[in-house]
């Protein structure tokens, strides 16, 4: 299949988690992990990603999947500018640092380009306290914070989407998911050329089943309402065009994707 470039490519590597937070987008989930086949099918279509985001589920439970992704990127010489992973901080594993060091060395810049963030908001804290592991979490947090790969905490800047567990929250505290509009452009030698590489933005997500979907949708809705195709059979380019993406010239593409991402990040209605 054709190689693609992404502003942000999100890999939802697992639905496995040791927490069950009140705002969790996964909802009624199975313990599904991204297989070697899905990882390879996704990355085989990837020439470049400005940001590669690893999310879940809880990725410290499946570090072998993260290792597979990193190893495959290096073996296939896939270009990425930065990699980021989000964890919940309840499990301490120095193995995470080794994997981040491996991909950071591959990227090769002087600054740190492989980072992890710890989820920290009232819903996570409530679940951690409910399970009686708050003291352990604080100790893990202190140790994680000492790592040069620690990016900081990641909370929720907008009300939770009415997906997954959040459908049980008071309706006035949540918002319906409104997917980001997708755009694409073609680049060849720095110029627009429909035979050139396809650049897609602002974000694309792939779940453990290989479904091209919305990262912020529940497991059920990813497979039904927001199922745009599957990496095993479908091209990213053809899939998003079929689902209404616009083709823009490079300058307009960049402005449109920046505007769309800003809208999504400040969405309150």
């Amino acid at each position: 299949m054709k190689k693609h470039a992404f502003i942000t490519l999100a890999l939802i590597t697992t639905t496995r988690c040791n927490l069950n937070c009140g705002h969790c987008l996964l909802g009624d989930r199975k313990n599904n992990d991204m297989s070697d086949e899905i990882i390879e099918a996704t990355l085989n279509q990837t020439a470049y990603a400005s940001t590669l985001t690893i999310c879940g589920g809880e990725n410290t439970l499946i570090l072998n999947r993260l290792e597979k992704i990193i190893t495959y990127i290096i073996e296939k010489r896939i270009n990425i500018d930065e990699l980021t992973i989000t964890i919940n901080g309840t499990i301490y594993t120095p193995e995470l640092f080794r994997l981040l060091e491996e991909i950071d060395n591959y990227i090769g810049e002087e600054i740190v380009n492989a980072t992890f963030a710890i989820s920290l908001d009232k819903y996570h804290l409530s679940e951690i306290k409910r399970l009686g592991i708050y003291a352990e979490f604080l100790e893990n947090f202190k140790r994680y914070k000492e790592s040069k790969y620690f990016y900081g905490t990641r909370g929720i800047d907008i009300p939770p989407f009415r997906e997954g567990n959040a459908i049980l929250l008071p309706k006035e505290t949540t918002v319906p998911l409104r997917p980001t509009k997708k755009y694409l452009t073609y680049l060849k030698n720095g110029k627009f050329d429909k035979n050139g590489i396809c650049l897609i933005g602002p974000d694309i997500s792939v779940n453990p089943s290989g479904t091209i979907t919305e990262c912020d949708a529940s497991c059920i809705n990813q497979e039904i309402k927001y199922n745009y195709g599957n990496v095993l059979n479908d091209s990213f380019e053809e899939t998003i065009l079929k689902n209404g993406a616009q083709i823009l010239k490079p300058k307009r593409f960049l402005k449109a994707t920046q505007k769309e991402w800003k809208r999504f990040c400040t969405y309150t209605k």
Side-chain angles (χ1 to χ4, degrees):
M1 286 189 184
K2 185 174 183 176
K3 298 276 189 177
H4 304 84
F6 303 93
I7 291 181
T8 298
L9 175 61
L11 303 184
I12 308 166
T13 51
T14 183
T15 59
R16 197 183 300 268
C17 192
N18 58 330
L19 301 180
N20 190 27
C21 300
H23 66 334
C24 182
L25 297 166
L26 297 179
D28 184 16
R29 60 186 183 268
K30 308 293 182 182
N31 286 331
N32 294 329
D33 303 332
M34 190 172 272
S35 67
D36 286 0
E37 186 181 25
I38 298 298
I39 291 171
E40 292 175 7
T42 303
L43 295 178
N44 283 342
Q45 289 197 58
T46 305
Y48 164 80
S50 178
T51 301
L52 181 65
T53 299
I54 309 294
C55 46
E58 175 51 31
N59 278 284
T60 57
L61 295 172
I62 56 153
L63 288 177
N64 65 322
R65 300 294 80 211
L66 181 58
E67 183 164 27
K68 170 66 179 180
I69 292 167
I70 289 171
T71 300
Y72 203 75
I73 287 171
I74 295 172
E75 286 179 353
K76 299 299 180 180
R77 310 304 296 175
I78 297 167
N79 293 317
I80 63 171
D81 290 336
E82 62 179 49
L83 178 143
T84 178
I85 178 172
T86 301
I87 63 175
N88 64 30
T90 62
I91 300 167
Y92 182 76
T93 170
E95 179 69 4
L96 178 64
F97 308 147
R98 182 188 69 79
L99 293 172
L100 290 171
E101 181 179 25
E102 190 174 341
I103 191 66
D104 196 50
N105 289 339
Y106 167 73
I107 295 171
E109 302 288 342
E110 291 184 6
I111 60 173
V112 174
N113 287 290
T115 59
F116 70 95
I118 295 178
S119 294
L120 191 62
D121 53 55
K122 64 180 181 180
Y123 300 101
H124 283 96
L125 287 177
S126 176
E127 175 67 0
I128 286 167
K129 290 176 180 178
R130 184 187 72 83
L131 292 173
I133 57 173
Y134 184 65
E136 181 182 348
F137 168 78
L138 285 181
E139 183 60 31
N140 290 343
F141 188 88
K142 290 176 184 176
R143 291 194 286 176
Y144 272 130
K145 195 175 179 181
E146 294 174 355
S147 169
K148 70 176 183 178
Y149 301 109
F150 179 65
Y151 180 79
T153 60
R154 182 160 290 152
I156 49 173
D157 299 322
I158 60 177
F161 292 117
R162 204 169 298 131
E163 295 279 332
N165 289 356
I167 63 174
L168 300 176
L169 296 175
K171 193 168 183 178
E172 64 272 14
T173 66
T174 63
V175 293
L177 176 61
R178 185 169 63 180
T180 55
K181 296 176 184 176
K182 304 295 189 293
Y183 302 96
L184 62 84
T185 190
Y186 296 93
L187 293 173
K188 190 172 184 179
N189 299 325
K191 298 180 181 180
F192 181 83
D193 186 331
K194 285 196 175 181
N195 295 313
I197 192 165
C198 177
L199 177 58
I200 302 172
D203 68 315
I204 288 286
S205 302
V206 179
N207 76 7
S209 302
T211 303
I212 301 167
T213 185
E214 297 294 331
C215 192
D216 296 295
S218 68
C219 289
I220 292 175
N221 281 340
Q222 284 178 357
E223 300 303 330
I224 301 173
K225 188 175 181 180
Y226 303 112
N227 187 330
Y228 305 133
N230 194 286
V231 293
L232 293 176
N233 308 305
D234 301 310
S235 158
F236 284 107
E237 174 189 14
E238 294 172 0
T239 296
I240 70 161
L241 283 174
K242 189 169 58 179
N243 285 279
Q246 289 182 260
I247 302 175
L248 300 175
K249 293 292 181 71
K251 285 185 179 180
R252 289 190 61 204
F253 169 82
L254 291 173
K255 288 181 180 178
T257 54
Q258 290 168 357
K259 183 178 179 181
E260 181 60 19
W261 189 245
K262 184 177 180 181
R263 178 203 64 79
F264 181 80
C265 292
T266 56
Y267 176 38
T268 56
K269 294 183 180 180

